[in-house]
Amino acid sequence: MATERALEMATDIASYRNDFPVLKTKMHGQSLVFLDSAASAQKPQAVIDAMNRVYESGYSNIHRGLYEISQNLTAEYEAVRGKVADFIGAPSEKSIVFTGNATEGINLVAQSWGKTFLEEGDEIILTEMEHHANIVPWQMLREEIGIVIKTIPFDESGVLDLKTFESLLTHNTRLVSFVHISNALGTINPARKIIEIAKDFYPEMRVLIDGSQGIVHNVVNVTELDADFYVFTGHKLYGPSGIGVLYGKEELLNEMPPFKGGGDMIEKVTFNKTTYKEAPYRFEAGTPPIVEVIGLGAAIDYVSAVGMENIAAHEAELLAYGSEKLSTIDGLILHGTAPDKAGILSFTMKGAHPSDIGTILDQCGVAVRSGHHCCMPLMERLGLDATVRASFGLYSSKDDIDQLVKGLHKVKELFS
Ligand SMILES: Cc1ncc(COP(=O)(O)O)c(C=O)c1O
């Protein structure tokens, strides 16, 4: 079934590629082969058009103006909240908070929920494969209130050790916060299973999922997962930068104090006392990223029309093809070979540093990421300082992978 869909997708891929104007540009005089979608995805014309349309023919501030364009844009902005809720299977648009990015969503939970519900000695569990966005906010909280941070290790292939996870749970554990899909290894973590283990141990346990990559590569249903919080960022989902989403269970969000104060999030302000709006509005202080929200809505319409299952099947096909092709390159070591994996290939090559590989590939028109991918503890665990990462988007093709392989042969020529 998945293969059938992948085949359909493969025949359609040329037309999808044409939706992304930047893919027609050249890099060093060669057709751009963009293999850095895990860092940020390219934008389809539909997203660019939706944002331009607002700036050209209907821009104003929202939630304030009594005039027509402000009222229309307010309605359009709020409709995106419902669209996001439907897209992730959330029961209500009231559980959708617009943030600046995934990082801000996690900081919001750490500062608002963390400072309200955690105290000195309480334990939280992360994994060794977290992005810094799901490490540093908790360390900042640790400095402020003295929580304890534990981590779930992963094995050689990049699979989390759930037995150790179970042994880390104690009567002081209050939160498990983990990455849905690793941006550095591609591992798809068994989110439902992790939540089941956590909530079987202690039903009041809270679980946050960093869905920055998870939202991009397959269908997500936060209700089926029973996640308490799910965060993601718009720019990896073919939408604009500057917009992210924090999903939180509505009753939980309403128990949490605001994260930032200012206009638009209040009910009443006096110099003696201020009262706040209900969630999600109490978390959206100041003028929000209005046009970015409209862009995110257009991105969701776009990927929904393509079909998240189709995108997943297409990327699975590319992953199989890419893994096979890279395995033929002598001296290349693939990092992250979990059986359940998304379209991310992280590797090193004997005798060539990842930044040299990235620079040579750039000269060949191939854009990849070289570095620690904001996962320094993961790199330390692998005994590396960096990898090269090629990551796919819905517009990626086997030709892109062939270009990558050609570039890697050039690296070999130069470094052997
Ligand atoms: C797994 C993961 N978490 C968090 C982030 C942070 O996303 P943002 O910088 O948009 O907040 C990223 C981005 O690379 C990521 O891949």
Side-chain angles (χ1 to χ4, degrees):
M1 184 72 174
T3 319
E4 246 171 58
R5 284 209 207 100
L7 283 177
E8 274 170 34
M9 182 79 188
T11 51
D12 285 346
I13 200 70
S15 59
Y16 290 125
R17 258 179 109 83
N18 288 335
D19 294 341
F20 294 80
V22 80
L23 296 178
K24 297 187 183 87
T25 58
K26 303 257 179 210
M27 204 160 75
H28 300 295
Q30 304 182 60
S31 298
L32 170 65
V33 172
F34 189 76
L35 290 173
D36 196 21
S37 296
S40 203
Q42 299 298 349
K43 318 304 169 201
Q45 191 66 50
V47 168
I48 300 166
D49 287 348
M51 296 177 76
N52 283 342
R53 175 183 52 78
V54 176
Y55 281 127
E56 284 168 6
S57 59
Y59 181 75
S60 72
N61 212 324
I62 56 163
H63 293 155
R64 294 175 175 109
L66 293 178
Y67 46 92
E68 190 182 7
I69 55 171
S70 177
Q71 301 257 311
N72 288 347
L73 193 54
T74 302
E76 212 184 325
Y77 173 96
E78 286 303 331
V80 176
R81 217 185 280 282
K83 197 172 280 185
V84 173
D86 290 346
F87 184 63
I88 62 170
S92 153
E93 72 276 8
K94 296 266 181 72
S95 54
I96 304 300
V97 181
F98 290 128
T99 60
N101 47 36
T103 304
E104 192 186 7
I106 299 173
N107 276 276
L108 191 164
V109 176
Q111 288 298 315
S112 170
W113 178 84
K115 275 195 192 149
T116 309
F117 292 100
L118 298 180
E119 52 191 39
E120 189 176 354
D122 281 347
E123 296 169 2
I124 70 161
I125 300 181
L126 312 176
T127 80
E128 280 183 358
M129 62 172 81
E130 294 313 310
H131 186 283
H132 298 163
N134 196 26
I135 300 175
V136 184
W138 302 111
Q139 291 175 324
M140 290 164 72
L141 188 65
R142 178 172 65 188
E143 272 169 33
E144 289 177 73
I145 65 169
I147 57 166
V148 175
I149 299 174
K150 295 177 165 182
T151 52
I152 311 173
F154 59 86
D155 70 14
E156 285 313 301
S157 64
V159 173
L160 287 177
D161 175 354
L162 295 190
K163 278 268 159 287
T164 302
F165 168 44
E166 287 180 56
S167 73
L168 293 175
L169 291 161
T170 75
H171 64 277
N172 288 327
T173 315
R174 295 287 173 269
L175 172 83
V176 181
S177 185
F178 65 95
V179 70
H180 199 173
I181 297 182
S182 161
N183 61 306
L185 300 174
T187 308
I188 303 175
N189 286 318
R192 180 75 200 110
K193 177 94 191 135
I194 293 172
I195 293 177
E196 251 168 39
I197 293 173
K199 298 210 173 201
D200 277 355
F201 184 84
Y202 175 48
E204 295 301 303
M205 188 84 74
R206 296 301 173 200
V207 180
L208 182 153
I209 302 181
D210 173 1
S212 304
Q213 303 292 338
I215 198 74
V216 182
H217 298 289
N218 215 328
V219 179
V220 168
N221 187 307
V222 291
T223 306
E224 279 170 18
L225 285 170
D226 194 20
D228 296 294
F229 301 106
Y230 194 99
V231 300
F232 63 93
T233 201
H235 63 95
K236 295 184 202 282
L237 189 62
Y238 310 97
S241 55
I243 174 68
V245 169
L246 161 66
Y247 158 80
K249 285 185 178 160
E250 201 181 329
E251 68 280 8
L252 207 51
L253 290 178
N254 277 311
E255 286 172 2
M256 289 161 49
F259 170 49
K260 296 176 185 168
D264 220 21
M265 46 76 79
I266 51 86
E267 252 169 20
K268 186 165 170 55
V269 179
T270 68
F271 275 107
N272 282 337
K273 186 176 164 59
T274 291
T275 53
Y276 309 119
K277 283 183 180 160
E278 61 174 8
Y281 312 104
R282 66 166 59 168
F283 298 110
E284 295 174 9
T287 299
I290 305 165
V291 182
E292 287 73 13
V293 165
I294 304 302
L296 175 66
I300 289 176
D301 286 342
Y302 182 82
V303 292
S304 302
V306 177
M308 288 310 294
E309 294 96 339
N310 294 337
I311 295 172
H314 172 63
E315 289 179 3
E317 176 122 335
L318 291 182
L319 179 69
Y321 183 78
S323 306
E324 157 72 21
K325 288 275 167 184
L326 291 195
S327 72
T328 63
I329 299 176
D330 197 28
L332 185 145
I333 304 156
L334 208 49
H335 303 283
T337 50
D340 215 1
K341 230 191 115 164
I344 289 174
L345 289 166
S346 222
F347 59 90
T348 47
M349 283 171 83
K350 283 203 181 106
H353 191 270
S355 32
D356 295 326
I357 301 173
T359 308
I360 294 165
L361 289 176
D362 165 55
Q363 295 299 316
C364 302
V366 181
V368 293
R369 178 79 170 262
S370 302
H372 52 64
H373 317 298
C374 297
C375 292
M376 281 184 172
L378 175 148
M379 290 292 150
E380 196 181 337
R381 156 74 181 78
L382 295 175
L384 298 169
D385 65 340
T387 68
V388 182
R389 182 186 67 187
S391 54
F392 310 133
L394 69 92
Y395 38 67
S396 302
S397 67
K398 289 183 178 170
D399 287 347
D400 292 343
I401 295 171
D402 291 343
Q403 284 305 314
L404 168 70
V405 170
K406 221 165 129 188
L408 293 175
H409 281 297
K410 188 144 193 199
V411 172
K412 273 201 68 79
E413 264 166 49
L414 290 168
F415 281 87
S416 57

